[in-house]
Amino acid sequence: MYHIYILKSSKNKKYYIGYTDNLERRLKEHNSGKSKFTRTDRPWSLFYHEESDSERKAILRERQIKSWKSRKMIEKLKFK
């Protein structure tokens, strides 16, 4: 099982979108500074996530969400 996730920075309200096969581990990595893209904006909390049965589908969904480039569109996911 794969997870498409959106993290929100408590520091500056930025979003980070990604996918993983282990959501708990990945969130810990983001908050411990192991990811260079999220290191400076810690702490991160899980804002949204959805599951996918294949890595390919997860990648496509992650790309779709990233292509929106709109905070409003991302925030609408939370309330679906």
Side-chain angles (χ1 to χ4, degrees):
M1 186 66 56
Y2 290 88
H3 304 271
I4 303 91
Y5 63 91
I6 301 174
L7 303 179
K8 188 172 185 178
S9 169
S10 299
K11 181 178 178 181
N12 58 21
K13 310 302 183 215
K14 285 184 180 180
Y15 291 105
Y16 178 84
I17 301 159
Y19 83 95
T20 185
D21 62 346
N22 186 327
L23 189 57
E24 186 177 327
R25 173 189 47 82
R26 192 66 181 124
L27 182 56
K28 286 179 184 177
E29 289 174 355
H30 284 293
N31 281 317
S32 69
K34 290 186 178 182
S35 173
K36 71 178 183 176
F37 296 107
T38 57
R39 185 176 299 141
T40 60
D41 300 312
R42 295 179 283 170
W44 293 92
S45 59
L46 185 62
F47 177 77
Y48 174 82
H49 96 281
E50 58 188 59
E51 295 179 351
S52 176
D53 58 357
S54 78
E55 185 175 20
R56 176 79 177 134
K57 288 179 186 176
I59 291 169
L60 292 174
R61 180 65 170 150
E62 176 198 27
R63 287 181 185 166
Q64 178 187 36
I65 295 169
K66 284 181 175 181
S67 75
W68 293 343
K69 307 250 189 269
S70 166
R71 291 181 69 83
K72 287 182 182 181
M73 291 289 290
I74 290 170
E75 289 170 356
K76 282 182 182 181
L77 282 174
K78 182 78 171 183
F79 302 105
K80 276 190 167 182

